[in-house]
Amino acid sequence: MKSYLEIKVPIENNAPWFEELRNKICLHGINVRWQNAYYHITVAFIHEEAKDESIRSLFFNCLKWRVAPTLTFDKLDAFTMFPGRHILFLTSEHPSEEFSAMVREVRDTLAGTSCNFDKDFRLHVTLGRVFDERVGIDQLKNLANSIEVQPFTMRLSEAQYREYRGGVIDKWTMWPDKESAAKAEEEQTRTAFQNAFSNIGMLNQDI
């Protein structure tokens, strides 16, 4: 089964830079299939999951106490998927360390399994897919790069593990700050100890 972990990015369609991009593309008569919401960053794409490993649990362990990272977006660009098909995207030229650390942990953990996943990571939010063999990548890059994106920062708290071209397998909300995460972890640890002692007490009664 093909699947992937994504971080949702709540971009607004009426953002000035986005409207300018769509207008320029339209003026040049370029055929684009716009994403129209559901914007995200793919952290890891898994081509095949090993039968003896739970990727859902792996992602949960990576994210359960993680504070939602911030990311500053500041550039539009394009790349080629294969001849005649290109991607217009939004990206960050200087990703935050907290975001980079999250990506490293997820991908390093995957690397320790026997799963087949994409080894390269390209930080991008797909805005549109170009299906037009008349259009070269240089033209698209020039159009995208000509638009100035006033840097804006988002806290990215929603993560989803999805089946490729399918539904959501699981989803998580990362913590708003370190204090909230630490408090929740402490409470879980306390509850686990209480349950463990309670179980010991029940065993002693049975004896």
Side-chain angles (χ1 to χ4, degrees):
M1 178 185 73
K2 293 183 178 181
S3 59
Y4 59 96
L5 177 69
E6 67 176 25
I7 305 298
K8 298 183 72 174
V9 182
I11 294 170
E12 296 183 358
N13 284 335
N14 62 353
W17 55 265
F18 204 171
E19 290 187 338
E20 185 178 354
L21 175 64
R22 292 195 298 270
N23 289 337
K24 281 196 173 184
I25 292 295
C26 183
L27 286 173
H28 283 79
I30 298 173
N31 179 27
V32 178
R33 185 199 302 168
W34 295 105
Q35 184 77 0
N36 290 328
Y38 190 59
Y39 303 108
H40 64 276
I41 297 170
T42 299
V43 175
F45 188 94
I46 301 166
H47 293 279
E48 184 177 359
E49 178 179 341
K51 293 181 180 179
D52 60 339
E53 293 174 303
S54 173
I55 300 304
R56 184 202 305 244
S57 296
L58 181 152
F59 288 152
F60 171 72
N61 289 331
C62 287
L63 299 173
K64 63 181 178 180
W65 304 124
R66 184 167 293 280
V67 175
T70 59
L71 194 59
T72 299
F73 297 96
D74 52 13
K75 184 179 180 181
L76 294 172
D77 211 336
F79 65 84
T80 299
M81 291 289 291
F82 48 80
R85 179 172 175 177
H86 313 288
I87 301 293
L88 286 164
F89 67 93
L90 173 71
T91 190
S92 173
E93 291 201 283
H94 305 286
S96 65
E97 176 54 33
E98 53 189 334
F99 181 85
S100 298
M102 178 194 67
V103 173
R104 282 196 303 270
E105 180 178 356
V106 168
R107 296 177 67 81
D108 287 350
T109 305
L110 271 178
T113 73
S114 55
C115 293
N116 176 17
F117 72 101
D118 279 346
K119 300 301 189 292
D120 295 328
F121 172 70
R122 184 195 296 264
L123 196 170
H124 73 284
V125 181
T126 296
L127 303 175
R129 295 169 174 82
V130 179
F131 300 92
D132 197 332
E133 294 184 354
R134 304 168 303 162
V135 181
I137 186 61
D138 289 340
Q139 180 184 2
L140 278 178
K141 289 178 73 70
N142 288 336
L143 280 172
N145 295 164
S146 70
I147 298 170
E148 182 179 357
V149 179
Q150 291 296 328
F152 62 97
T153 301
M154 288 183 162
R155 184 169 292 279
L156 308 177
S157 59
E158 301 298 320
Q160 291 190 351
Y161 177 37
R162 302 180 64 95
E163 184 178 353
Y164 179 58
R165 294 181 177 174
V168 176
I169 299 171
D170 209 340
K171 57 184 178 180
W172 305 275
T173 299
M174 289 176 276
W175 297 94
D177 50 58
K178 291 182 179 179
E179 291 74 17
S180 299
K183 184 177 180 180
E185 184 174 10
E186 181 182 343
E187 181 62 30
Q188 186 182 82
T189 301
R190 183 184 302 112
T191 300
F193 273 120
Q194 290 173 346
N195 290 339
F197 283 121
S198 176
N199 291 335
I200 290 173
M202 293 175 66
L203 287 173
N204 289 335
Q205 289 178 3
D206 291 340
I207 295 172

